[in-house]
Amino acid sequence: MVTTKRTFCSLCESFCGLEVDVENNKIVDIRPDNDHVVSQGYACVKGTKFDSVQHSPDRITEPQKRVGNKWQSISWEQALTEIANKMARLKRDHGAQSVSHFVGAPGGANLLAPIFRGELFKGLGSNRMYGTGTCDTMNKFRVNGDMYGSPMRLAYPDVDHTEFMMVLGANPLISGNTLYHLPRSRERFGDVIERGGRVVFINPRRIESAGNAEHLFIRPDTDVYFLAAFCNEIIQRDAVAHERIDRTMKNFNALKQTVSPWTPERQAKVTGIPASALIDLVDSYVSAGAAALNMATGVNQGRSGTLCYWLLESISAISGNFDRKGGNLIGEGIIDFASQAKDDPQMNLGFHREDDLPTVSGQQAAGMVADDILNGYVRGMIVEASNPLLACGNPDGRLQRAMGELELLVSVDLFRNETGNLAHYILPATTWMERSGMPYALQSFVGCTATPYLYASGPALEPPPGVRHEWWIYVRLADKLGVTLFNNKIMSGFLKLAAKLAYTPFEFIKVPELMINGMLKKAGQPGLKSMLKSHPHGIRLPDNEGDNFLGTDRVLTEDGLVDLAPPPFVERFNHAIEGLYQEELNGLGKMKLIGKREVKRMNSSSANSPRLVKDSTNYAYISIQDADRIGINASELVDVTSKFGTITIPAKVTDEMMPGTVAIPQCWGHTNADGLRHAQQHPGVNSNLLAGDGRENIEELSGMSHLSGIIVDVVKSRSSIETVKRQDSRGSV
Ligand SMILES: Nc1nc2c(c(=O)[nH]1)N[C@H]1C(S)=C(S)[C@@H](COP(=O)(O)OP(=O)(O)OC[C@H]3O[C@@H](n4cnc5c(=O)[nH]c(N)nc54)[C@H](O)[C@@H]3O)O[C@H]1N2
Ligand SMILES: Nc1nc2c(c(=O)[nH]1)N[C@H]1C(S)=C(S)[C@@H](COP(=O)(O)OP(=O)(O)OC[C@H]3O[C@@H](n4cnc5c(=O)[nH]c(N)nc54)[C@H](O)[C@@H]3O)O[C@H]1N2
Ligand code: SF4
Ligand SMILES: [Mo]
């Protein structure tokens, strides 16, 4: 019999409501939930075709141990005992910090896993937790901490009420956005224009999101000059909310002085955005009733991501658009996560490393993994929901070689991906379809959504019998390691007992459901069962009206004032920006590499889906002008060379690209992925062989990797397409 379950897609931050028809624990159909309170019938192909991932014949359904070059199925008891023993031995011989964790994007979307993962490592005494957060967004958490007092005081643009919206380095139509919730973004940006407002995308590629909106090309990794000049222009015009600043902020003069050399003309020399265009944007920004700003991954991944976000937030703050309806708002979640994070040593800004790089929001720089292993600091690693070999800079296969030297490498995943190939153990985890859940922390706890709502769902499917929830894996490991969770012996004992008895006939409590019940109660609801019955499509909460942050005790800095010029940012700006500007001027003739997200691919996660991936390769997108200069036609092969390596890839010639820029979709390069058979047949090329790693390629304020705006040379290739197919994930043929 077919039953219909309701859930939400956890692949991207749109968290679209879905209806899933299920028969005999198999998906028959996935449809958008037309009545979901926010997504209202929107979902993309990745969500509606998730059955091909969920039921993939390549899915790992029992713990795997590598013996020589063969994989053996083993029991959970054996796997966890051996892993815990190894972790204990590493801790004893080399200290707790030699045992590390690495979390990927799906691990962040999981509401409960981060809580238990953090507790296990806190109890173990290790801060060595890496993640692809330092490939996408840690610069923002750094800025939040320094300006507002907690990494989790995160502002979002109030798109539905704004009159002017400027977006740098994001492509929400394809990505579903990051760090704020805006499903149906096309419609909602369209509404701004219908209301008579402006929507402007600043991007080296004329992106899908630009549709009916405006678009300006910007040379990659130059946003800092654009934003500094934007900020300065506002200050020069005195379009500044002085009373608000005096009452609720500090260090305005230091900000003013820092940006003062940056004029519209000066930025134009490197950004490619004419001075007149910047002035026109400032005109609109300051005259709009309310104006919102957003920047995301493309800017974060440059060399000045933290400075850019600081400037963006400062523009919003000084112009009076921060904490104003239709501007940039600070939401309220069902708990005050920002206050908790401020007091949590595992979440707060820390300097736990041998070098000067910070740990931001619990994450250390992914770009330091190879160094940390090769220096002997890290000897064991649990990788959860990630594929760092493709996601991170991997110059000349260095990361692969380093990870291959680990004494213990565990991959907690649905599949044996490229990183899993190197592991000693693979632990099979649940998909989001198999978990009870609520939208992840930034929505449920931080309220980063333009349409506040409450949503919870039960599992749509039962996991295969040998598959386990991440919370369970971490609690069982804590038990075997003698680690106390939540620094509370009673709670820890209770959780360990619950985990021991879970998946047995004696299971007495379901921990995820218990926790979700607790969260729903905090939100004034009786619990999960009643939520599913009475509000299967979610509950729309009141809009955020603004004027609820500045001057209140929600500002978590020591003195309760927003800091417009945190000293580390000013220092970095004064120390580095002129030099980088000169470098830009000297390098204007050179090509720059950026990434590209595609609607049918979710990082490397959907690479094995026959329903989504038909092309056997990714492409290098270049402008008509560059193609003419290089002397190539569409689909001809190009060699793309950075100072870290060379890849050979077919080109696509398009007027979407800013001349001087090449875009290559990242997270391809599956030649060696014999655990992902469809992906292996559709391998593509790993563009991160062109990205660097190590201290030189990391932004020092946040630990962010430099993944966008990499200087490259692009030439017509002498290789054949067969060579392209044989490039392995180390770039060797
Ligand atoms: N379909 C799909 N959706 C996804 C993902 C996916 O892989 N596929 N990944 C998910 C993840 S993990 C994340 S973090 C989010 C990211 O979501 P977004 O932040 O929207 O990321 P992108 O779509 O990569 O958009 C980045 C944009 O920045 C532009 N860009 C590159 N360099 C620069 C620069 O220097 N300056 C400016 N101004 N622009 C620049 C690029 O052209 C690109 O359009 O998407 C999520 N959603
Ligand atoms: N050049 C360049 N490089 C980039 C980017 C870029 O824009 N340009 N983007 C960066 C960004 S923003 C990110 S986030 C990274 C993405 O890289 P990662 O964060 O490493 O994400 P994926 O490559 O999708 O790998 C996710 C793995 O998680 C597994 N998985 C899926 N769901 C679950 C689950 O529920 N539980 C568990 N345990 N496993 C699960 C999948 O099978 C897959 O193997 O790439 C980064 N790399
Ligand atoms: S991947 Fe698609 S269906 Fe899933 S949440 Fe994102 S936009 Fe919605
Ligand atoms: Mo990401």
Coordinates of all heavy atoms in Angstrom, one line a residue, residues 105 132 136 597 603, ligand 4:
A105 N 29.2 19.6 4.1 CA 27.9 20.4 4.0 C 26.7 19.7 4.6 O 26.0 20.2 5.4 CB 27.7 20.8 2.6
T132 N 34.1 21.9 5.8 CA 34.1 22.7 4.6 C 33.4 24.0 4.9 O 33.2 24.9 4.0 CB 33.4 22.0 3.4 OG1 32.1 21.4 3.9 CG2 34.2 20.9 2.9
D136 N 33.3 27.7 2.7 CA 32.1 28.5 2.2 C 31.8 29.8 3.0 O 31.5 30.8 2.5 CB 30.9 27.7 2.0 CG 30.4 26.9 3.2 OD1 30.7 27.3 4.3 OD2 29.6 26.0 3.0
R597 N 28.1 26.5 -9.6 CA 27.2 25.5 -9.1 C 26.2 25.2 -10.2 O 25.8 26.1 -10.9 CB 26.5 25.9 -7.8 CG 27.5 25.9 -6.6 CD 26.8 26.1 -5.3 NE 27.6 25.5 -4.3 CZ 28.8 25.9 -3.8 NH1 29.3 27.0 -4.3 NH2 29.4 25.2 -2.9
N603 N 27.3 19.8 -4.7 CA 28.7 19.5 -4.5 C 29.0 18.2 -5.1 O 28.7 18.0 -6.3 CB 29.0 19.6 -3.0 CG 28.6 20.9 -2.4 OD1 28.9 21.9 -3.0 ND2 27.9 20.9 -1.3
Ligands
MO4 MO 29.0 25.0 1.2

